[in-house]
């Protein structure tokens, strides 16, 4: 399953990238994110791997992000792997005066039991979750720069080898990998 989503953020690209490229900001706009932990490689660089833990209603979803491309401010790409789901994501950022057009190209590949489950899931659910996550980031970014005039780095705190990211947000109705359909850098 493949699809593309796009959103226009009312900020210059350099400000969008400053917020997007901070791992400390993840919990402020990714619904259900409980923690994240660097597991290999140089944080934010190609080849680096990070474990992401999400709470989706009563389910906990453990996901591994692998960074493929980090060519900011133009592109950030990665893969997101969870049980039975491989998600390939390409984020591109295009300057348009004082606005930024964020395009997200997403491809899901399913295996095992998820392959059967995917037959009953509709693409619209994945798209809606991705769109909601992008809109969450848009609101977060525009509010940070409007209220503070600069990015405010995250509220995550370290705990037992992982970073804990504030209380979980509302449960997402569709698969967790669509929540993590974006990457980020060093923080």
């Amino acid at each position: 399953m493949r699809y593309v989503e796009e959103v226009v953020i009312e900020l210059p690209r350099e400000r969008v990238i400053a917020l997007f490229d901070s791992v400390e900001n993840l919990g402020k706009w990714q619904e259900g994110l409980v923690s994240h932990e660097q597991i290999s490689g140089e944080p934010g660089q190609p080849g680096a791997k990070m474990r992401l833990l999400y709470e989706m209603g009563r389910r906990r979803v453990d996901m591994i992000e692998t960074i493929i491309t980090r060519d900011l401010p133009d592109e950030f790409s990665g893969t997101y792997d969870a049980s039975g789901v491989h998600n390939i994501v390409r984020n591109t950022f295009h300057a348009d005066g004082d606005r930024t057009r964020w395009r997200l190209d997403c491809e899901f590949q399913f295996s095992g039991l998820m392959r059967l489950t995917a037959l009953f899931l509709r693409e619209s659910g994945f798209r809606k979750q991705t769109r909601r996550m992008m809109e969450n980031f848009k609101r977060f970014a525009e509010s940070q720069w409007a209220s503070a005039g600069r990015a405010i780095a995250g509220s995550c705190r370290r705990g037992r080898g992982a970073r804990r990211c504030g209380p979980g947000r509302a449960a997402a109705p569709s698969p967790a990998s669509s929540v993590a359909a974006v990457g980020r850098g060093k923080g």
Side-chain angles (χ1 to χ4, degrees), residues 143-164:
S143 71
Q144 291 301 300
W145 289 96
S147 64
R150 61 180 175 79
I152 299 173
S155 63
C156 294
R157 59 190 184 284
R158 292 202 177 266
R160 295 189 196 156
R163 292 181 181 212
R164 302 287 174 199

Side-chain angles (χ1 to χ4, degrees), residues 3 30-33 54-59 61 108 114 117 120-133 136 169-180:
Y3 59 86
Q30 285 199 9
E31 292 179 7
L33 181 64
Y54 291 88
E55 286 185 1
M56 302 296 190
R58 296 181 190 175
R59 292 184 25 198
V61 178
F108 284 92
M114 277 305 293
T117 305
F120 299 102
L121 297 174
R122 296 183 29 193
E123 179 181 320
S124 64
F126 287 85
R127 289 182 80 105
K128 283 181 184 177
Q129 181 61 31
T130 300
R131 183 70 180 184
R132 180 168 49 229
M133 180 272 310
N136 285 349
R169 301 236 165 77
S174 58
S177 56
S178 65
V179 173

Side-chain angles (χ1 to χ4, degrees), residues 11-81:
L11 290 172
R13 186 168 74 162
E14 65 272 4
R15 290 182 181 173
V16 169
I17 297 303
L19 292 167
F20 181 86
D21 195 31
S22 173
V23 72
E24 295 299 322
N25 289 331
L26 286 178
K28 295 178 180 180
W29 58 275
Q30 285 199 9
E31 292 179 7
L33 181 64
V34 175
S35 66
H36 53 85
E37 174 184 12
Q38 189 70 34
I39 55 176
S40 69
E42 183 180 341
Q45 298 304 310
K49 293 183 182 283
M50 180 181 292
R51 179 178 316 280
L52 302 163
L53 179 62
Y54 291 88
E55 286 185 1
M56 302 296 190
R58 296 181 190 175
R59 292 184 25 198
R60 291 178 74 96
V61 178
D62 191 12
M63 186 179 308
I64 303 296
E65 170 196 65
T66 304
I67 297 173
I68 296 172
T69 304
R70 183 169 196 266
D71 185 23
L72 294 173
D74 298 314
E75 179 182 348
F76 188 96
S77 300
T79 61
Y80 299 85
D81 293 289

